[in-house]
Amino acid sequence: MIYPHTPITHIEGVTANRATLLASELGIKTCADLVSFFPFRYIDRTQFYTIKELEINQSEVQIVGKITHVKTVKQQRGSRLVATFSDATGTIELVWFKGMQWLKDSLKINEPYVVYGKTNHYKGRFSIPHPEMELVKNYKKKVQSAMQPVYPSTEMLNNKGISQKIMRTLLYNTLRQLNPQLQETLPASFLSTAAMLPKKTALYQVHFPETQALLAKASYRLKFEEFFYIQLQLLQQKQLRKSKLKGYPFAKVGGYFNSFYEESLPFELTGAQMRVLKEIRKDVSANTHMNRLLQGDVGSGKTIVALLSILLALDNGYQAAFMAPTEILAAQHYTALTTLLKETDINIALLTGSVPAKKRREIHAALEDGSLHILIGTHALLEDKVQFQNLGLAIIDEQHRFGVAQRSKLWKKNTLPPHILVMTATPIPRTLAMSVYGDLDISVIDELPPGRKDIQTVHRYDSNRLAVFQFLKSEIAKGRQVYVVYPLIKESETMDYKDLMDGYESIVREFPPDGPQKYQISIVHGKMKPADKAYEMARFVKGETQIMVATTVIEVGVNVPNASVMVIESAERFGLSQLHQLRGRVGRGADQSFCVLLTSVKLSSDAKTRLQTMVETSDGFKIAEVDLKLRGPGNIMGTQQSGVLQLKIADVVHDGDILQKARTMAIALLEEDPLLEKPENQVVLKAFIAIQKRTGLWSKIS
Ligand code: ADP
Ligand code: MG
């Protein structure tokens, strides 16, 4: 008897050699592995070509014709067998380099054959090396699905003779032998209400589809199932975390929160900000631990949400930490919060690498005796010397700059882990968030504060540089400030620094300090000392300089409302999300803002798509979707190690709707039957346990 866990050596046609190869090359060991090794495309074997119709660079073709002549051609090394093959419209050659003697004896002259293979084109003639051959009279008798599966393969498999034809045979045999033991893995109600194919049918049809329509239904069913069980795992993980992990309850909304909310809030919160705040309050008010990711486009107003959450912590007698990836950003948060809280008795300090030792010791002491309420800073916050009296909430801005290890240090800063709010302006596409962060709580600010003007974005070639400079002059004349950003992909690349310095010099030439306008220019880059950086930045913030020449150090968070023009040099070298982040530095004030993307004329098609997307939209989520399509899910920030993305048939980029449906149905199922105890859900429980055993995904995620 053959079961899913039976080794493939029990399948007809799987020799020990083949089994070893399939295991080492494709990781296929059991029958279950083999039947869930899916074709990546299909060839339509209902379609025939005439020789006249053949085109150069065509993929596989199928032709009916007759062999008129066979000869052996001697060549320098070995020889080859060449058959002349004709139909009514023309003649091609069929060529073999192996098995010639046997072929020579068995090939039938002047009998109709179906030949199938990939064409070569050389000196005006087509040939097919090693074609698949079948006499027409046998072709009709053979079990042949109209759409023939093509399986992923490797060079090694090809060289060792495990051809597509053999893969098809092995799959066919496995499905046939396994058939009595193939169990349904979804509840009956799913199949009836969602009109899904039964598992057996789906597996057959995905490997040997009878029609296009059945193939579509089969692959839908299998993709759904794949997503469904991943979602079930993630959701269970979340349930588990919520029931096990305790947090400090912020039971009351007190004086700090209320008086700030009523008297000092400088604007009305947007609907999205209010919704997110409610979500956070719900998390922290109970005895459970908050681990929430807050996504919101640049300028969507995350800071105020962070502040209000901090006030909740303070109202309940806890301290709060606010960590940013750079000194500039930390300093900006510090300034913003001290300004907003100036009417209160709340103590705030800034801790970064450049804080002198004496001041540092004061901060440490005030943290430990509880007189310091809010600590803002960089990585410096994580040092062991930084001990809080009672840390209740940690906010992490731009999470992708911090590693997991660093985050876990924050967890250990109090007896129970403080509540964690991670904020990011790099939107994660919905589908990706569902699969990678499916066990986290996610909040989204999907609404910008009122009155924001869209940033006018244009793409210009380097040759238009003079016109761009002219435009900058006219904007500066109106009192605005300008960023000019250079790519600096790696801090170490001296070439990039040379570009930056050359650019800086040409701008100084174009905008002379001793001319009638008396232009002032700042420059900031990663190789400068922190104090020099801060000094230049401060000059720009105060409006003493009109142009800020910089590298991507200004990418995150910097807020200068009067800066309304962003020029990005060599824009084709930036990734889409980085371009979007950079552009977010402008459009922060009342003036119409602009973003100019300067590039050379030679652009790859991906670069063109990136630039066009930037020109067309400023919606961070749309941009993230395009980015995902261009780069694939494995390259998006923070998802690299995720086992959740190692999918067999589904694909987060193209199957977002199926994923959404699977998640919704998994949520509904767990709500009704959290422990999968009902008789009708035993099929789910069984499949779930089997998957966990097989993949070990469970332990990988946690
Ligand atoms: P980000 O989400 O990029 O961190 P910020 O919190 O820096 O955004 O907010 C961007 C700007 O919008 C700030 O100047 C802030 O004061 C302002 N802002 C935030 N929320 C609102 C609101 N509801 N109405 C008006 N302005 C707001
Ligand atoms: Mg911010």
Side-chain angles (χ1 to χ4, degrees):
M1 193 71 102
I2 300 291
Y3 294 92
H5 60 261
T6 307
I8 48 172
T9 38
H10 290 73
I11 299 294
E12 205 185 309
V14 183
T15 58
N17 265 346
R18 284 181 179 171
T20 312
L21 275 171
L22 287 171
S24 63
E25 290 293 292
L26 302 170
I28 296 173
K29 294 182 183 121
T30 63
C31 292
D33 292 342
L34 192 54
V35 295
S36 52
F37 184 65
F38 297 110
F40 72 102
R41 69 187 177 97
Y42 299 83
I43 297 155
D44 189 352
R45 293 284 309 246
T46 55
Q47 193 179 356
F48 288 88
Y49 287 85
T50 61
I51 288 172
K52 204 176 77 184
E53 286 168 339
L54 295 182
E55 282 169 26
I56 298 169
N57 294 330
Q58 216 159 14
S59 58
E60 294 84 353
V61 295
Q62 181 168 244
I63 311 167
V64 180
K66 291 176 186 169
I67 294 177
T68 53
H69 182 73
V70 180
K71 65 178 179 206
T72 307
V73 180
K74 290 254 183 282
Q75 49 192 33
Q76 268 175 346
R77 268 189 253 159
S79 52
R80 64 194 148 104
L81 187 70
V82 178
T84 311
F85 183 79
S86 316
D87 68 2
T89 67
T91 296
I92 63 171
E93 286 182 343
L94 310 176
V95 187
W96 293 268
F97 303 93
K98 282 180 198 158
M100 289 174 293
Q101 196 51 54
W102 178 80
L103 276 161
K104 209 170 172 181
D105 297 341
S106 60
L107 286 175
K108 306 237 180 328
I109 307 290
N110 281 328
E111 270 199 61
Y113 270 105
V114 176
V115 306
Y116 171 78
K118 199 167 162 22
T119 56
N120 276 342
H121 188 260
Y122 183 66
K123 290 195 176 158
R125 278 181 82 93
F126 284 100
S127 64
I128 303 182
H130 287 258
E132 284 181 29
M133 311 273 304
E134 202 77 68
L135 285 168
V136 169
K137 60 179 194 222
N138 296 339
Y139 182 85
K140 297 206 174 102
K141 277 185 266 165
K142 275 237 166 142
V143 207
Q144 190 98 49
S145 70
M147 313 229 299
Q148 199 166 63
V150 181
Y151 295 94
S153 188
T154 66
E155 217 179 307
M156 175 70 97
L157 288 176
N158 275 333
N159 291 344
K160 300 277 176 176
I162 302 193
S163 63
Q164 289 294 331
K165 199 168 172 181
I166 285 176
M167 283 305 287
R168 290 197 296 271
T169 311
L170 296 186
L171 253 310
Y172 190 79
N173 292 346
T174 313
L175 279 171
R176 189 171 42 80
Q177 286 178 254
L178 192 59
N179 187 51
Q181 296 302 325
L182 271 177
Q183 308 274 335
E184 182 50 59
T185 44
L186 289 177
S189 62
F190 281 27
L191 303 192
S192 56
T193 55
M196 274 188 238
L197 290 183
K199 175 90 170 214
K200 266 186 199 181
T201 320
L203 277 179
Y204 268 101
Q205 292 297 332
V206 89
H207 288 291
F208 303 104
E210 283 167 41
T211 64
Q212 196 80 46
L214 274 168
L215 170 60
K217 287 191 102 171
S219 81
Y220 180 91
R221 140 88 210 214
L222 296 168
K223 287 173 177 178
F224 176 90
E225 177 178 338
E226 187 166 39
F227 280 141
F228 178 78
Y229 281 101
I230 292 173
Q231 288 305 317
L232 216 55
Q233 276 175 318
L234 291 169
L235 292 164
Q236 249 209 0
Q237 185 101 11
K238 186 156 140 185
Q239 260 179 5
L240 209 67
R241 180 167 55 75
K242 291 213 159 160
S243 61
K244 284 257 175 72
L245 200 56
K246 300 276 170 267
Y248 295 110
F250 298 172
K252 64 174 187 224
V253 181
Y256 284 135
F257 186 98
N258 283 328
S259 62
F260 177 82
Y261 197 90
E262 277 147 32
E263 288 150 35
S264 313
L265 197 62
F267 37 68
E268 251 183 70
L269 294 185
T270 62
Q273 284 170 322
M274 270 200 283
R275 192 188 64 237
V276 169
L277 201 60
K278 237 188 234 157
E279 290 165 352
I280 294 171
R281 269 172 66 170
K282 190 154 166 260
D283 284 352
V284 297
S285 62
N287 217 346
T288 55
H289 175 248
M290 174 172 79
N291 194 9
R292 188 171 278 280
L293 173 68
L294 171 55
Q295 297 188 59
D297 225 330
V298 267
S300 60
K302 294 185 290 296
T303 317
I304 202 79
V305 172
L307 173 59
L308 286 163
S309 312
I310 288 174
L311 294 179
L312 272 181
L314 268 49
D315 272 339
N316 289 276
Y318 295 97
Q319 293 163 298
F322 196 159
M323 192 163 80
T326 64
E327 294 208 0
I328 294 178
L329 265 180
Q332 241 176 32
H333 283 317
Y334 177 74
T335 313
L337 264 56
T338 34
T339 314
L340 285 163
L341 298 177
K342 63 177 182 294
E343 306 293 328
T344 71
D345 57 4
I346 296 170
N347 294 321
I348 315 178
L350 176 66
L351 182 67
T352 65
S354 46
V355 170
K358 180 163 168 287
K359 176 78 188 156
R360 222 178 252 246
R361 278 194 296 275
E362 282 169 30
I363 291 176
H364 291 167
L367 270 184
E368 281 174 50
D369 69 24
S371 58
L372 182 56
H373 306 106
I374 306 174
L375 181 63
I376 300 177
T378 54
H379 296 74
L381 290 192
L382 297 171
E383 284 169 19
D384 291 335
K385 270 184 232 146
V386 180
Q387 291 296 328
F388 293 79
Q389 186 196 49
N390 198 8
L391 180 66
L393 170 70
I395 295 185
I396 306 175
D397 202 8
E398 301 306 338
Q399 113 283 1
H400 63 266
R401 301 276 175 123
F402 296 102
V404 177
Q406 292 170 316
R407 262 183 279 165
S408 75
K409 278 196 173 171
L410 269 179
W411 282 52
K412 298 192 184 111
K413 293 271 178 196
N414 205 345
T415 323
L416 291 179
H419 294 296
I420 306 278
L421 181 65
V422 171
M423 308 200 296
T424 179
T426 313
I428 305 161
R430 200 175 44 100
T431 53
L432 209 54
M434 272 193 282
S435 11
V436 181
Y437 297 108
D439 66 327
L440 275 193
D441 293 300
I442 300 182
S443 292
V444 180
I445 304 187
D446 51 6
E447 180 187 354
L448 291 181
R452 290 282 164 77
K453 287 205 187 93
D454 238 6
I455 301 161
Q456 268 189 41
T457 303
V458 294
H459 170 211
R460 294 283 181 270
Y461 293 109
D462 287 336
S463 50
N464 294 116
R465 185 175 300 272
L466 284 182
V468 172
F469 283 157
Q470 221 39 57
F471 170 71
L472 298 186
K473 282 179 185 162
S474 71
E475 286 299 304
I476 292 170
K478 290 184 205 156
R480 316 273 190 269
Q481 288 163 283
V482 176
Y483 292 107
V484 182
V485 179
Y486 284 82
L488 199 134
I489 312 304
K490 291 204 189 81
E491 289 289 326
S492 55
E493 277 186 15
T494 33
M495 255 318 278
D496 287 345
Y497 273 105
K498 189 176 176 311
D499 285 354
L500 173 72
M501 295 326 289
D502 289 352
Y504 175 69
E505 273 157 31
S506 80
I507 284 169
V508 172
R509 241 175 286 127
E510 190 66 30
F511 299 84
D514 43 10
Q517 262 73 28
K518 302 218 176 332
Y519 291 112
Q520 293 294 310
I521 302 172
S522 286
I523 180 165
V524 167
H525 59 75
K527 278 193 182 166
M528 287 164 69
K529 288 201 194 92
D532 297 342
K533 252 192 282 186
Y535 173 78
E536 281 299 325
M537 205 57 224
R539 290 214 306 150
F540 188 67
V541 172
K542 280 184 247 160
E544 291 170 12
T545 59
Q546 295 91 35
I547 301 178
M548 162 65 75
V549 176
T551 59
T552 49
V553 293
I554 60 141
E555 182 185 342
V556 209
V558 175
N559 193 14
V560 184
N562 191 50
S564 63
V565 185
M566 159 85 42
V567 179
I568 304 178
E569 292 275 356
S570 305
E572 72 272 31
R573 293 181 56 190
F574 290 92
L576 200 41
S577 74
Q578 210 176 13
L579 287 173
H580 179 61
Q581 293 293 321
L582 283 169
R583 178 169 60 181
R585 298 307 108 219
V586 297
R588 306 201 142 220
D591 309 310
Q592 174 63 56
S593 294
F594 302 90
C595 175
V596 183
L597 306 168
L598 275 174
T599 73
S600 65
V601 253
K602 269 200 192 153
L603 294 175
S604 70
S605 93
D606 275 10
K608 277 183 200 154
T609 309
R610 292 197 293 270
L611 295 162
Q612 194 187 348
T613 306
M614 286 297 292
V615 170
E616 276 168 12
T617 182
S618 53
D619 179 336
F621 279 90
K622 272 190 200 150
I623 289 174
E625 295 285 349
V626 177
D627 200 28
L628 176 62
K629 288 206 173 107
L630 287 179
R631 295 197 296 153
N635 291 316
I636 305 290
M637 205 65 92
T639 65
Q640 283 86 344
Q641 299 93 9
S642 179
V644 190
L645 289 171
Q646 287 157 19
L647 302 167
K648 286 188 183 305
I649 185 166
D651 160 358
V652 288
V653 180
H654 300 104
D655 303 321
D657 293 347
I658 308 178
L659 170 54
Q660 178 68 65
K661 173 130 194 181
R663 183 167 172 89
T664 311
M665 286 178 78
I667 291 173
L669 188 88
L670 282 180
E671 250 166 36
E672 249 189 58
D673 186 8
L675 299 174
L676 303 175
E677 289 168 324
K678 293 190 178 173
E680 66 267 31
N681 292 332
Q682 290 318 293
V683 36
V684 176
L685 184 64
K686 220 173 135 192
F688 193 28
I689 292 171
I691 291 174
Q692 282 175 14
K693 268 199 200 138
R694 198 169 69 227
T695 60
L697 201 58
W698 182 257
S699 52
K700 226 184 271 172
I701 298 173
S702 55

